Amino acid sequence: MSQKKSRILKLALFATGLSGIVAEYILSTLATYFLGDSVFQWTMILSIMLFSMGVGSRLSTFFTTKILEKFLIAEFVLSLLTSTAALSTYFLMGMTENIGVVIYSFSIAIGLLIGMEIPLVTRINEDNEELRTNIAGVMENDYYGSLIGGLFFVFIGLPFLGLTHTPFILGGINFLVAIALFIRLKKYIHKSYRIPFTITIPALLFTILFLSYNADTIVLYGEQKRYNDKVVFSKQTRYQKITITQWKEHYWLYLNSSKQLCTFDEFLYHEPLVHPVMKLTKDPRNVLILGAGDGCAIREVLKYKDVEKITLVDIDPEMTKIGKTHEIFTTMNDSSYYDPKVKVINQDAFQFLEGSNEFYDVMILDFPDPKSIDLNRVYTKEFYRLCHRRLRPFGHIITQAVSPYYTTKAFRSIEKTLGASGFKVLPIRNHVYSFGEWGWVIGSKYETKSEIKERLLEMTFKDTNVQWINNESMNLMTSFGRDLVKIDSVEVNSIRNPVLYKYYLDGTWAKFL
């Protein structure tokens, strides 16, 4: 076998590394979206993939004849699996409660095939190169492919192509290389395999192209099966899966399948989020909103005429684009993004505060629930200390704090963590029809807990255009009854000791959703 044939074998392994590693990254990302706990999912899927590669290597030892033919079979099957793993997951997510089984099964199958291919190529190529260069050449091409695949996934695939179309690009590359390998080495292939390969290749090509062309429709079908209501918008961004559903004249927003708001009752969430801290602050001219890309918090802040500047920081530019331009959201948030007082920054909130030199009168933190280690970071003592540094002496901060009853430990941990960061804190709550009981924590640099509560109970809203909140509601929002969990029994959440997301996942709220 010539050096040219040796090179195409190694090119095949380069393509295998390229498509295989990206498929595993995509499966890890999907597992995080659907199952939560990103550290656990990424660790387990990549570990299982490596284990499966080892098993695949062992299984390859049972192939003693027609090695080239078996390698080509593995290549074509791998191309199909890597191309369709994400699409299949989206398609099946609404049909089974065990989507984790689907994701992990794909991870195992892809790992087995990659594990088989490396020793098979080494054996096919053994007559062309001596052992030391043969093994080194085979392994380095697989590893180089993995690096290029990882770079492609991070900088091109996920930001621009999404989780659905990226695998078709890289799986397609692997498929084209496998076709080239078949053509170049056709005379070495046993004639009993040539006709089946000749028939199978066009069939696989048609299948991959058909599924790629119809991928968005298939994903929408799977999305629709997952939700009770009609899906009217669905988009995978670099950071999250954004889904909007409709029931009659009402709309629901979901991020990574977790409910965020409903147009029917969002005011029951956003009025307690905004108005107490705005009225507690004597002169709220400069307001920082972290998260809240839907724009409803901006809408509420703009009801205060003395406000001169509102800075909204949201990591996902697609979410702020939807909040600014999508008809559902512009109707809901009164086109608040277009007010000249509003400045939008698409950046990680932690990094923004680390680099900020500005001081704020009011800080409103409206992040998704801390259901993963990534989201846990913006509920830590380190993050709240950055907030403390940027808040003016007589300013106030509020953070959404999940449910005080469904996830009581998580709620109390947020309260305790904000307090450990230098703030004097007061928890509040309200019943939101779409979610049940929900909670927030207010922080002040100078007022005690009792002083904050006393001022809230005296608060009036006659001069503010609100739908629900009033003086009477302040009594409800500041009353909790007996503690279900003592605050002393929960830990402060920190980057070093990320307990909050574990408290959240141990609660019953995620199960309720």
Side-chain angles (χ1 to χ4, degrees):
M1 198 176 290
S2 67
Q3 285 294 328
K4 290 184 179 179
K5 296 183 181 70
S6 178
R7 282 197 291 270
I8 197 168
L9 281 168
K10 292 176 182 178
L11 178 62
L13 276 186
F14 178 88
T16 292
L18 184 78
S19 60
I21 197 66
V22 171
E24 296 295 340
Y25 291 159
I26 287 171
L27 290 169
S28 299
T29 304
L30 288 173
T32 299
Y33 289 168
F34 296 137
L35 306 175
D37 198 344
S38 58
V39 172
F40 177 85
Q41 300 302 338
W42 277 79
T43 301
M44 289 302 298
I45 285 181
L46 292 177
S47 298
I48 287 173
M49 174 200 174
L50 293 172
F51 170 77
S52 300
M53 287 174 62
V55 175
S57 296
R58 171 56 60 182
L59 291 176
S60 72
T61 63
F62 294 100
F63 302 149
T64 56
T65 60
K66 300 182 177 62
I67 304 301
L68 176 58
E69 291 81 357
K70 291 180 174 63
F71 172 71
L72 279 168
I73 291 171
E75 271 288 272
F76 289 123
V77 174
L78 181 66
S79 298
L80 182 64
L81 290 182
T82 54
S83 296
T84 61
L87 185 64
S88 301
T89 302
Y90 278 124
F91 178 74
L92 294 171
M93 65 182 176
M95 302 179 188
T96 175
E97 295 182 358
N98 300 311
I99 196 64
V101 175
V102 175
I103 294 172
Y104 279 85
S105 295
F106 270 109
S107 179
I108 292 169
I110 291 169
L112 285 172
L113 290 168
I114 296 173
M116 286 181 190
E117 289 189 2
I118 294 173
L120 289 178
V121 168
T122 305
R123 290 162 63 186
I124 295 169
N125 200 40
E126 63 186 354
D127 293 333
N128 195 60
E129 291 184 341
E130 60 179 287
L131 184 62
R132 64 186 179 87
T133 55
N134 184 16
I135 292 178
V138 166
M139 299 301 292
E140 72 174 341
N141 278 276
D142 183 68
Y143 295 153
Y144 291 164
S146 298
L147 172 62
I148 300 301
L151 294 174
F152 181 89
F153 176 73
V154 170
F155 293 107
I156 300 175
L158 191 56
F160 300 108
L161 300 174
L163 295 181
T164 307
H165 296 285
T166 297
F168 280 106
I169 299 295
L170 299 184
I173 291 172
N174 193 73
F175 184 70
L176 293 175
V177 172
I179 293 175
L181 184 66
F182 170 72
I183 294 170
R184 180 63 65 87
L185 304 183
K186 190 173 183 179
K187 67 179 180 179
Y188 297 99
I189 298 171
H190 194 275
K191 56 185 177 182
S192 64
Y193 281 80
R194 292 176 193 171
I195 293 177
F197 276 132
T198 304
I199 295 172
T200 301
I201 289 171
L204 282 176
L205 179 60
F206 173 79
T207 301
I208 291 173
L209 290 175
F210 175 82
L211 292 175
S212 177
Y213 181 78
N214 293 283
D216 291 334
T217 302
I218 295 169
V219 169
L220 184 60
Y221 175 82
E223 284 269 276
Q224 189 58 72
K225 286 287 185 179
R226 187 175 180 85
Y227 298 98
N228 294 326
D229 304 311
K230 180 183 178 182
V231 175
V232 296
F233 180 90
S234 179
K235 185 164 186 178
Q236 174 64 58
T237 77
R238 181 175 184 175
Y239 303 99
Q240 57 200 348
K241 179 76 172 180
I242 303 173
T243 305
I244 303 172
T245 66
Q246 179 183 9
W247 180 75
K248 295 184 178 180
E249 71 274 20
H250 305 299
Y251 298 90
W252 278 258
L253 170 67
Y254 294 84
L255 299 180
N256 294 342
S257 302
S258 294
K259 189 186 298 180
Q260 301 300 306
L261 65 79
C262 175
T263 57
F264 171 67
D265 60 359
E266 53 79 18
F267 62 91
L268 292 173
Y269 175 90
H270 288 106
E271 289 187 357
L273 173 72
V274 171
H275 293 289
V277 286
M278 290 297 292
K279 286 190 172 291
L280 283 170
T281 307
K282 184 178 180 181
D283 195 18
R285 296 183 181 275
N286 193 4
V287 178
L288 177 65
I289 303 174
L290 300 177
D294 52 76
C296 294
I298 305 175
R299 178 197 67 205
E300 297 302 318
V301 172
L302 285 171
K303 293 176 180 179
Y304 294 84
K305 304 305 179 185
D306 291 338
V307 171
E308 297 175 353
K309 182 179 179 181
I310 301 170
T311 303
L312 183 136
V313 180
D314 191 298
I315 194 172
D316 194 343
E318 188 62 35
M319 188 64 245
T320 54
K321 178 183 176 182
I322 291 170
K324 184 175 182 179
T325 63
H326 199 289
E327 183 180 3
I328 294 170
F329 285 83
T330 55
T331 301
M332 179 173 59
N333 64 36
D334 295 337
S335 298
S336 58
Y337 272 100
Y338 293 95
D339 192 285
K341 297 177 181 178
V342 178
K343 178 182 179 181
V344 177
I345 298 174
N346 293 121
Q347 188 180 357
D348 174 78
F350 207 113
Q351 293 176 354
F352 170 80
L353 285 176
E354 283 184 318
S356 176
N357 294 317
E358 196 163 353
F359 292 92
Y360 302 94
D361 302 300
V362 174
M363 301 178 77
I364 298 169
L365 282 53
D366 188 19
F367 298 115
D369 293 354
K371 63 188 296 185
S372 69
I373 193 70
D374 306 318
L375 289 167
N376 184 92
R377 184 164 163 261
V378 290
Y379 290 86
T380 58
K381 180 172 66 174
E382 292 85 352
F383 181 74
Y384 292 147
R385 281 178 173 171
L386 290 175
C387 294
H388 191 275
R389 188 184 306 166
R390 295 291 107 205
L391 186 70
R392 287 202 171 103
F394 297 99
H396 292 83
I397 185 174
I398 188 168
T399 180
Q400 87 91 353
V402 303
S403 172
Y405 299 123
Y406 288 106
T407 51
T408 309
K409 281 192 173 182
F411 177 76
R412 291 302 181 187
S413 178
I414 294 171
E415 178 189 356
K416 189 171 185 176
T417 303
L418 192 65
S421 306
F423 292 103
K424 297 160 180 73
V425 298
L426 175 74
I428 61 173
R429 66 179 181 88
N430 190 35
H431 186 83
V432 183
Y433 300 141
S434 300
F435 296 95
E437 289 291 330
W438 206 260
W440 302 263
V441 179
I442 296 172
S444 171
K445 282 186 172 183
Y446 73 100
E447 290 179 295
T448 64
K449 178 178 180 178
S450 59
E451 288 172 338
I452 297 171
K453 184 172 182 178
E454 182 179 351
R455 290 186 61 202
L456 288 177
L457 293 176
E458 295 173 351
M459 207 169 272
T460 61
F461 298 85
K462 293 179 181 180
D463 59 340
T464 310
N465 180 24
V466 291
Q467 288 185 252
W468 172 82
I469 199 168
N470 59 16
N471 175 259
E472 185 180 9
S473 69
M474 290 294 98
N475 285 282
L476 170 69
M477 290 166 56
T478 55
S479 301
F480 284 85
R482 292 184 179 181
D483 287 335
L484 297 178
V485 173
K486 295 294 183 183
I487 197 167
D488 292 341
S489 68
V490 298
E491 297 182 64
V492 169
N493 186 46
S494 66
I495 292 176
R496 182 184 60 82
N497 184 32
V499 296
L500 179 60
Y501 85 100
K502 299 175 186 176
Y503 289 147
Y504 180 87
L505 294 176
D506 287 342
T508 57
W509 181 253
K511 297 180 180 65
F512 178 76
L513 285 178

